[in-house]
Amino acid sequence: IFNALCIDEDGYIYVVTDHEDPLMSISPTGEVSIMYFGVLNPTMDDIIWGGDKYLYILENAGQTPDLGGGIRRINMNKNSTPYFGRDF
């Protein structure tokens, strides 16, 4: 199950899932890769790109405190896809 996704400036899609290795990337050609194999906990709930080169992952939201949790920041060395905002 995909919990959330975001896209980088090169067209890669990053998703957090309920998989035991929860962070995956999908290339523009459709190749799926597990990122940080064996490092991240399988309790990732949300993902967002900051206004810089960092990807932020919300971990273990609303779960029991003994499982840890919080926000992880990962330096991706690239930017997110451009945001053009909304017209209201």
Side-chain angles (χ1 to χ4, degrees):
I1 296 174
F2 285 6
N3 294 334
L5 64 90
C6 62
I7 304 169
D8 75 14
E9 64 189 344
D10 298 322
Y12 283 78
I13 300 170
Y14 299 89
V15 297
V16 289
T17 70
D18 62 350
H19 188 266
E20 64 184 51
D21 290 300
L23 181 59
M24 299 178 188
S25 69
I26 304 169
S27 76
T29 60
E31 181 179 341
V32 177
S33 300
I34 294 174
M35 300 180 66
Y36 303 103
F37 185 81
V39 174
L40 300 173
N41 294 327
T43 55
M44 303 297 171
D45 298 304
D46 204 356
I47 188 172
I48 190 168
W49 214 289
D52 47 20
K53 297 184 183 297
Y54 294 100
L55 191 65
Y56 295 89
I57 300 174
L58 178 62
E59 180 179 29
N60 198 28
Q63 303 295 321
T64 57
D66 60 330
L67 294 176
I71 298 174
R72 291 189 183 255
R73 183 177 80 165
I74 299 174
N75 186 347
M76 300 299 289
N77 292 316
K78 59 172 73 176
N79 295 310
S80 71
T81 189
Y83 177 72
F84 297 105
R86 296 181 181 155
D87 292 329
F88 291 98

